[in-house]
Amino acid sequence: MTFQPYYIPLVVTLFLLSLESVAKSFELSYQHQQQTKTITVNQPSANRFEIARELPQQLSLVTLDWPPYIDRNLCNKGWVFTLTAALFNELGFGISVEFFPWARSVRMAELGQADILFPEYFIEVTAPSDVIANSFRRNNLALSTPYAGGLIGLMSRENYKAKYDGTFQSIQGARIGVVRGYQNTPEFDKHLDLGFFNAIQARDDQQNLKLLLASRVDYIVADPNVVDYLLSHDVQGDKNQIKFIEPAFQYNDFYYAISKRNAMWQSLQVKINAKLSEFEQAGTIKTIQQNAGKCAPAN
């Protein structure tokens, strides 16, 4: 078939329209040290967000959709996104933030294809890498100081007779849904690596929750805030169908995980830690959390 010249303007027009449908920007604000500051966030593609790309110091960050903490569909992309934008704005860095399935984000950070992975749970020094053979995750990633996080534990169906009594022996061999690439807790992950459970891996929390609702697993390991959000917005199901099994594993703080492939990772770690401490003392993190969900009408 001969490609007619008059097709070219049509193809170009459709391409530009497709770009316009994705490329957009929005403003987000935060308060720090009695000042209100506004940041312009550009979105050149469906999973990529950029801030201050004109600055000489640039960092690439990778994350995941994990509501209500961070998600592309949340107001201002969630409070963890706002905190991250504010943190690096105060540090004088331009950043790009890309959203991927968690396992891919972990891989990119450990291989140095991204500078920072977030929000990460604490990583034990003995936690093996799923990316680099004969390596520990802490060989490849350095953790910041912690900031506000959430509970983690077992969730099951309301009509399921849960056997968990606070010991992993009580659920040995149980079918447990876990998200691929997640750190959970040191003790649980240690038992998981030893094959203590019948673990079924999911791509993300949404898929994990669907496995539980479909009775394909007995329990899932999850943050109850995440499950509540998913049941309210993304996953068909009733909150009354799912229960959190007490006792919780623990409260997990969040961290920024810095790739050690970045030649400046040590100085970057020091700067991030100092700024997080300043934010904590100033009440900036708490204010950002309290203001989560307050978007301008245009957003």
Side-chain angles (χ1 to χ4, degrees):
M1 182 180 76
T2 305
F3 189 80
Q4 298 296 330
Y6 61 81
Y7 286 159
I8 297 176
L10 177 60
V11 171
V12 172
T13 300
L14 290 173
F15 175 71
L16 291 175
L17 285 174
S18 69
L19 284 180
E20 288 176 2
S21 67
V22 173
K24 52 188 176 181
S25 64
F26 65 94
E27 305 287 325
L28 62 80
S29 298
Y30 66 96
Q31 295 176 337
H32 181 55
Q33 294 181 333
Q34 300 182 333
Q35 291 185 330
T36 299
K37 302 185 182 184
T38 301
I39 299 172
T40 299
V41 182
N42 295 309
Q43 184 182 358
S45 67
N47 74 318
R48 183 183 179 92
F49 298 83
E50 298 179 344
I51 298 171
R53 296 301 280 170
E54 74 282 357
L55 293 178
Q57 296 186 96
Q58 295 289 323
L59 293 170
S60 60
L61 283 70
V62 285
T63 187
L64 78 167
D65 286 314
W66 198 43
Y69 302 112
I70 184 167
D71 188 278
R72 284 170 288 177
N73 294 317
L74 289 174
C75 166
N76 289 333
K77 317 309 167 194
W79 74 260
V80 171
F81 184 95
T82 300
L83 170 64
T84 302
L87 182 75
F88 289 101
N89 184 61
E90 294 293 320
L91 287 172
F93 286 95
I95 61 172
S96 68
V97 179
E98 291 186 277
F99 286 75
F100 296 109
W102 186 247
R104 180 175 174 184
S105 289
V106 170
R107 179 178 180 82
M108 291 177 69
E110 289 200 30
L111 292 177
Q113 296 167 357
D115 298 308
I116 295 172
L117 169 74
F118 78 104
E120 178 61 283
Y121 285 156
F122 181 77
I123 305 171
E124 283 284 309
V125 293
T126 56
S129 171
D130 294 327
V131 178
I132 300 171
N134 303 315
S135 175
F136 297 108
R137 293 196 67 202
R138 290 286 287 271
N139 294 149
N140 311 313
L141 300 171
L143 296 179
S144 70
T145 52
Y147 57 100
L151 281 178
I152 187 171
L154 290 175
M155 304 199 75
S156 187
R157 295 177 301 281
E158 182 60 39
N159 60 4
Y160 180 75
K161 190 174 181 181
K163 299 177 181 177
Y164 180 63
D165 62 6
T167 67
F168 293 132
Q169 285 72 22
S170 63
I171 51 171
Q172 183 175 3
R175 298 178 304 165
I176 301 181
V178 295
V179 177
R180 186 179 298 110
Y182 273 19
Q183 293 292 126
N184 298 291
T185 71
E187 275 303 305
F188 177 83
D189 291 340
K190 177 175 149 185
H191 283 77
L192 192 68
D193 292 338
L194 292 171
F196 198 77
F197 312 111
N198 181 7
I200 298 175
Q201 294 195 340
R203 179 183 63 254
D204 51 31
D205 284 281
Q206 187 169 351
Q207 186 182 54
N208 209 23
L209 179 55
K210 288 179 179 178
L211 289 173
L212 181 61
L213 290 168
S215 300
R216 292 178 59 189
V217 295
D218 304 316
Y219 306 92
I220 60 172
V221 179
D223 179 324
N225 288 332
V226 175
V227 170
D228 283 350
Y229 182 92
L230 291 174
L231 286 171
S232 299
H233 297 82
D234 299 326
V235 176
Q236 287 189 350
D238 186 339
K239 286 185 180 181
N240 294 324
Q241 291 179 271
I242 303 298
K243 60 184 177 183
F244 187 73
I245 309 299
E246 297 286 354
F249 286 175
Q250 65 183 41
Y251 179 91
N252 270 350
D253 290 310
F254 294 158
Y255 296 79
Y256 292 99
I258 306 154
S259 175
K260 290 186 177 180
R261 300 294 180 100
N262 184 313
M264 305 297 291
W265 71 265
Q266 289 169 306
S267 64
L268 189 56
Q269 183 185 40
V270 170
K271 290 176 182 178
I272 291 172
N273 288 350
K275 190 57 66 175
L276 279 173
S277 176
E278 180 184 300
F279 271 28
E280 183 68 38
Q281 292 176 18
T284 302
I285 297 175
K286 185 176 288 187
T287 301
I288 287 173
Q289 287 180 295
Q290 291 171 344
N291 289 333
K294 298 178 182 178
C295 286
N299 208 19

